[in-house]
Structures are given as structure tokens and as C-alpha cells.
Amino acid sequence: MAKLYFFGDSYTYGTGLCDDATFNIKPSELAYPSLVGRHLNMEVENCAMGGIGNKEIFHRITHFHSAFQPDDIVVVMWTCAQRAMFLNSSEPNGIRAVNYHEEDPVKSDWMQTYYKYFGSNENAIFETSVYIALTNYYINEQIGNRILNFCTPLFGEQANGEVLSEWANVEVTPAFISPSICVDQTPCGHEGPQTHKKFAKHLSRILVDKLN
């Protein structure tokens, strides 16, 4: 039976919709992935996590290589290019994430060093272009052209006009920017339950065409 896989950050995880999602305990059932699953009567795997960056999104996708089946659909919500992630064997899950951009007021010394010497917008956009291109190549090799690429408003918010490298040759559709969809917010500033409902209906219509 076909399954929907969702990858992304807090926009996909449902941060602010319930305490469990806000504190990264488990994804919210009020977030758009679960709602899309109900609309389409399909099983959903929400593989997102609040605060992660595009490298970690790519890393998570590669860990599902044996799970994707030919009838599955993968939906990726790319995020802020300036978020960084480092692999570190001392961490329980092998990941050490720096999950914010250079303007984050709370940074350790090594984070400050990273953003000082390596955290340029140009570098961040190039790396994100690589992750997106590789992800789409990877998914196409696994299950064919059954991937949809979206991006949060954070995708270009700190990029100072930089855009996805043309050679990536991937269409990334902005999400959560239409006034007709973004109708409410949670107290922490994330999209509210009505916004998730509206986006879920919009995405479900797109997925029906993809499934057919």
C-alpha cells in the first residue's frame, strides 16, 4: 500500500500546535502531513523535526533508502539555507546539529567560528542546492519521479536575494506564503491549525494529480 513520506523542519513537524511537537517529542496530528493522509486515506510517515536544516533533511532521506516503495510519494519542505549540521560519532544518533543561522543570539564559540569563516550566504545556497539536487536524483533512482519539493518562508528569508543554483534543475515551490492559506498563527509564531488545514487541502489536490 502506498505511503506518504514527509521531510522538513518545524513547519512540517507542527511546532506550536501541541506541546509534544513544540518540544520535539513527536509530530503533531494537527500538522498538514497527518491531515493530507486523512484527505487521501493514505498512511503517513512524518520524518520531520523542528529546527533542523537542509543537510539534516537530506541525511534523514538517505536513511530511508530501504523503506521507499515504488508507489510511495516523498514530500520535502526545504528550509533556511543558513542552518548547519555536523556528523559526530560522540552523539547517540551520530548527529550534532547547529540548527539556526548566523544571527542566532545564542551561539557557542565554535558556532561563531563556523559562521565567521564558512557561513556566507553564497556557501549556504550552494550547499542547499547540492542537497536538493542529490535528494531528487536519489529519489528518482529509488522510486521514480514521485517527489514534491516545497520550501518554507525561511528558505530565502536570510539569503539576501540569493536563489537556488540553476544547475540544480529542481522546481522548489514556496509554501505558507499565500494570504488565503496563512490565516492564523500559534502563540510561538508558527502556522496555526487553520493554516495547516488549508495547506493540507491545497497539497492534497496536488498529490491526487501526482498519484494518478
Side-chain angles (χ1 to χ4, degrees):
M1 183 176 178
K3 182 186 288 190
L4 295 169
Y5 287 89
F6 291 86
F7 296 87
D9 65 352
S10 55
Y11 284 79
T12 302
Y13 199 73
T15 298
L17 296 175
C18 65
D19 286 346
D20 281 351
T22 300
F23 297 105
N24 276 347
I25 298 172
K26 66 179 181 178
S28 174
E29 293 295 318
L30 300 176
Y32 73 86
S34 292
L35 302 179
V36 168
R38 292 173 204 159
H39 282 308
L40 301 180
N41 193 29
M42 293 181 65
E43 185 179 354
V44 167
E45 185 84 28
N46 189 338
C47 309
M49 179 66 72
I52 66 175
N54 294 323
K55 183 178 180 180
E56 189 163 347
I57 290 172
F58 171 63
H59 185 263
R60 285 169 177 256
I61 291 170
T62 62
H63 274 230
F64 277 80
H65 70 278
S66 61
F68 298 137
Q69 300 299 312
D71 291 333
D72 294 339
I73 294 284
V74 177
V75 180
V76 187
M77 185 73 71
W78 301 101
T79 186
C80 174
Q82 282 72 13
R83 291 177 179 171
M85 183 271 276
F86 305 94
L87 296 175
N88 186 335
S89 60
S90 66
E91 296 295 316
N93 62 355
I95 295 175
R96 173 66 175 96
V98 181
N99 286 320
Y100 211 60
H101 56 84
E102 62 180 333
E103 296 176 358
D104 186 4
V106 182
K107 295 194 295 290
S108 64
D109 290 342
W110 69 271
M111 287 172 63
Q112 293 181 39
T113 300
Y114 171 80
Y115 283 112
K116 179 179 179 179
Y117 294 105
F118 306 105
S120 69
N121 286 321
E122 294 81 5
N123 185 63
I125 293 298
F126 177 80
E127 288 185 348
T128 282
S129 299
V130 171
Y131 304 140
I132 293 176
L134 285 175
T135 292
N136 281 263
Y137 175 80
Y138 179 79
I139 297 299
N140 272 273
E141 285 289 300
Q142 292 288 315
I143 59 175
N145 185 25
R146 299 180 70 80
I147 178 172
L148 292 174
N149 296 273
F150 293 90
C151 63
T152 75
L154 295 175
F155 183 78
E157 193 173 84
Q158 292 97 19
N160 295 334
E162 295 288 333
V163 296
L164 187 67
S165 299
E166 289 184 5
W167 54 259
N169 197 30
V170 175
E171 181 180 356
V172 179
T173 304
F176 296 110
I177 60 171
S178 170
S180 63
I181 290 179
C182 300
V183 295
D184 64 342
Q185 286 189 329
T186 66
C188 67
H190 282 76
E191 278 55 38
Q194 295 306 314
T195 295
H196 277 267
K197 285 181 180 180
K198 287 180 175 291
F199 183 69
K201 289 181 180 179
H202 170 70
L203 181 54
S204 295
R205 289 192 290 268
I206 297 174
L207 285 167
V208 166
D209 293 337
K210 192 77 170 177
L211 287 164
N212 293 332

